Amino acid sequence: ATGAEAIHSGYGFLSENAAFAEACTVAGIAFIGPTPQHMRDFGLKHTARHLAAENKVPLLPGTGLLDDTAHAKREALRIGYPVMLKSTAGGGGIGMQLCHSEDQLEEAFHSVERLSRNNFSQGGIFLEKHVEYARHIEVQIFGDGRGNVVALGERDCSVQRRNQKVIEETPAPGISDSLRAQLMDAAVRLGRAVNYQSAGTAEYVFDTQTHAFYFLEVNTRLQVEHGVTEEVTGVDLVEWMVCQAAGENDFLLTYRHAPQGAAVQVRLYAEDAGKQFQPASGVLTEMRFSSNARVDTWVEPGSVISPYYAPMVAKIIAHGSDRADSIGKLIDALDETSLHGIESNLPYLGAILRDKAFAHAEHYTRYLDGLAYRPTTIEVLAPGTQSTIQDYPGRTGYWDIGVPPSGPMDHLAFRLANRAVGNDEGTAALELTVTGPTLRFNTDTVIALTGAHMKALLDGVEIGYWQPVEVKAGSTLKLRGITGGGSRSYLVVRGGFDVPD
């Protein structure tokens, strides 16, 4: 209908759709990506394992497709627990479950099978030996469909939560140049075996204890993390894909891999890390990104974060002279980033980047399970009556166009409360009316209450007004109705609230 000559289907796992690529061809539209046959060759993990074996790429002990739970139990005993039960189709960490025992395997079998069928219209599942201290390393490849395939370096994608990548980087830290060469050579062999076309990724499990690597899968698409490869190679992979689809692919014959520096990427998600990463859909009212990092995003103020799709808001990438430099630049970029209107994993990402285990490259795929993270937030358990955020002097200077001043009604009490905890007197705080809220503090802080008196119970013990009060993480503050004169009470926290002007 639009007269499009070509379609690029993006970089999520849903872009690997052989039937769609074929439909493009039938319609006379170029599909910018691998061929439908390449998607089928590598799209099912159990057939990809067969291709890897044929091309002498190391494999973890595993199985073909499983018939039923009895078959799965027999194979698990042969391989040895723990094992990973996997869907043969799909991606994005969906359809994978770690099993340490026969009971867990039996419980997981039908769940994984159902997830696979519902998400990928393919119910096939198989087993693979689980490596306890594994890193996830992958190699970016590109082919012209005529047997010419190049590797553009490796990426470490080991920082994962529930098998979903959170941070990616290149080059992979702490591996030898010899191993790096082996990883790339194995990826190129796989690509050449099928005359691979366009962008793709060969993924491996790296055992940190034995320093051996094993084939995991091939993703027949551009991936979310392709930006870090672009930063160190200077190659625009999307441009390469477009040129290849147009029949202009001589650039592969002249490409020489000479990466410069290091790059690290974080995935900024609309999710609340302080509440078991529950999704945070809603309207993004205000945002600010750093100008000193590459930011790939789709949002703008007013964008609606839907509950129906992946919660990714942006990818933030820093390129530096080495790993430490790029991590430092990324930390600075995150410090300059803010989102309002929704919760995000922004502070969680900062905690990972500052963690010693990550800084020393001691992370592995389950490293985040043990990361101690305490959000600097306050949960509203009950909102109270007309509780609002105010600052001083608020909005002024617009009477001439009919907009009245805002700000705290009793600005003297408001300012004195801020002074009590060491804040600037105009710092944003809560103005409370009639009846107060119930709040749970997720971090240690200092608070002060001023203005009209509400009975205030901190973990059941009444606290006074007009003085600083220390609050411990996990404490709950209950504010009752106003007693006596006045109609406005004020609650301030040391450091104030992170809100837009």
Side-chain angles (χ1 to χ4, degrees):
T2 64
E5 297 177 11
I7 293 176
H8 193 299
S9 62
Y11 49 63
F13 65 84
L14 294 177
S15 64
E16 292 186 68
N17 189 315
F20 177 70
E22 286 173 335
C24 289
T25 302
V26 170
I29 298 171
F31 179 80
I32 302 174
T35 68
Q37 188 56 49
H38 292 150
M39 293 184 190
R40 293 192 174 98
D41 288 339
F42 291 119
L44 297 179
K45 296 180 179 70
H46 74 284
T47 57
R49 279 176 60 89
H50 180 69
L51 270 171
E54 284 186 338
N55 289 278
K56 297 182 172 53
V57 179
L59 286 168
L60 281 167
T63 71
L65 293 183
L66 299 167
D67 299 326
D68 49 31
T69 51
H71 186 196
K73 289 176 185 177
R74 290 195 304 273
E75 292 292 338
L77 285 174
R78 176 182 63 81
I79 295 168
Y81 288 98
V83 293
M84 188 71 85
L85 189 62
K86 289 185 172 185
S87 162
T88 188
I94 298 172
M96 296 171 61
Q97 195 152 332
L98 176 61
C99 303
H100 287 276
S101 67
E102 190 172 280
D103 288 345
Q104 285 185 343
L105 179 61
E106 185 166 13
E107 186 179 329
F109 190 91
H110 296 296
S111 170
V112 172
E113 187 177 46
R114 185 173 61 253
L115 267 174
S116 178
R117 201 175 300 282
N118 290 346
N119 283 281
F120 314 119
S121 303
Q122 167 65 252
I125 54 180
F126 68 102
L127 284 174
E128 206 166 62
K129 178 68 178 173
H130 175 66
V131 177
E132 192 69 30
Y133 294 97
R135 281 170 58 188
H136 183 130
I137 299 178
E138 62 189 32
V139 172
Q140 176 72 56
I141 62 170
F142 201 98
D144 64 5
R146 298 179 298 189
N148 297 312
V149 178
V150 298
L152 292 93
E154 84 293 345
R155 300 184 286 254
D156 187 301
C157 308
S158 303
V159 179
Q160 302 180 7
R161 192 184 65 79
R162 298 177 188 164
N163 304 313
Q164 177 67 51
K165 300 165 188 172
V166 177
I167 296 179
E168 299 103 345
E169 61 180 300
T170 187
I175 67 171
S176 67
D177 289 340
S178 171
L179 178 61
R180 213 180 305 278
Q182 291 176 55
L183 291 165
M184 290 198 288
D185 182 61
V188 169
R189 285 204 308 276
L190 280 170
R192 286 176 178 164
V194 296
N195 289 329
Y196 190 78
Q197 168 184 297
S198 198
T201 309
E203 305 205 358
Y204 306 98
V205 169
F206 174 68
D207 190 328
T208 61
Q209 308 300 297
T210 65
H211 285 239
F213 73 92
Y214 305 96
F215 175 78
L216 190 61
E217 62 180 316
V218 171
N219 286 309
T220 52
R221 65 179 189 268
L222 191 68
Q223 286 193 274
V224 175
E225 58 271 24
H226 71 275
V228 293
T229 296
E230 292 184 332
E231 289 298 302
V232 300
T233 61
V235 170
D236 184 331
L237 286 166
V238 177
E239 181 184 10
W240 272 24
M241 293 179 78
V242 174
C243 290
Q244 192 280 326
E248 303 165 6
N249 48 26
D250 290 343
F251 53 82
L252 279 191
L253 301 177
T254 58
Y255 176 74
R256 298 293 179 269
H257 186 58
Q260 300 296 313
V264 185
Q265 167 182 289
V266 295
R267 300 188 184 195
L268 185 59
Y269 287 127
E271 60 186 15
D272 189 345
K275 293 184 178 179
Q276 287 74 54
F277 300 91
Q278 72 179 29
S281 57
V283 178
L284 185 59
T285 55
E286 186 170 298
M287 52 181 253
R288 183 180 72 249
F289 291 116
S290 172
S291 60
N292 296 313
R294 170 175 165 175
V295 180
D296 293 356
T297 188
W298 62 278
V299 298
E300 60 188 9
S303 291
V304 175
I305 310 299
S306 163
Y308 302 114
Y309 299 97
M312 189 184 296
V313 173
K315 306 181 300 174
I316 304 175
I317 307 168
H319 180 214
S321 58
D322 56 23
R323 185 173 189 263
D325 185 40
S326 59
I327 291 173
K329 288 179 175 177
L330 190 52
I331 289 172
D332 290 343
L334 293 189
D335 288 345
E336 296 171 13
T337 301
S338 65
L339 299 175
H340 294 289
I342 59 167
E343 287 295 325
S344 78
N345 68 338
L346 180 61
Y348 181 70
L349 295 171
I352 300 170
L353 294 177
R354 288 179 168 90
D355 186 59
K356 288 182 179 178
F358 179 76
H360 297 153
E362 295 169 353
H363 55 284
Y364 60 104
T365 54
R366 303 187 72 82
Y367 142 75
L368 290 182
D369 294 349
L371 180 72
Y373 172 69
R374 176 165 283 167
T376 54
T377 56
I378 298 172
E379 289 183 52
V380 180
L381 305 183
T385 305
Q386 289 189 326
S387 303
T388 60
I389 292 276
Q390 300 289 347
D391 64 3
Y392 175 80
R395 180 189 59 228
T396 60
Y398 296 96
W399 258 129
D400 58 325
I401 55 170
V403 180
S406 70
M409 187 166 287
D410 180 354
H411 65 80
L412 179 60
F414 179 95
R415 290 152 61 200
L416 288 172
N418 269 315
R419 284 193 188 182
V421 299
N423 290 346
D424 178 87
E425 63 179 19
T427 302
L430 281 172
E431 181 176 81
L432 313 174
T433 308
V434 186
T435 58
T438 300
L439 308 171
R440 181 164 57 223
F441 292 79
N442 291 323
T443 186
D444 295 347
T445 189
V446 177
I447 67 170
L449 290 158
T450 62
H453 188 270
M454 292 178 170
K455 187 174 183 180
L457 301 173
L458 183 64
D459 292 334
V461 178
E462 188 167 2
I463 59 173
Y465 267 51
W466 306 97
Q467 62 189 10
V469 177
E470 289 191 4
V471 177
K472 295 297 181 184
S475 294
T476 299
L477 176 66
K478 290 185 178 181
L479 290 152
R480 303 288 173 79
I482 287 178
T483 58
S487 62
R488 296 293 190 277
S489 190
Y490 296 94
L491 169 65
V492 303
V493 299
R494 181 169 287 171
F497 291 99
D498 179 18
V499 290
D501 288 339

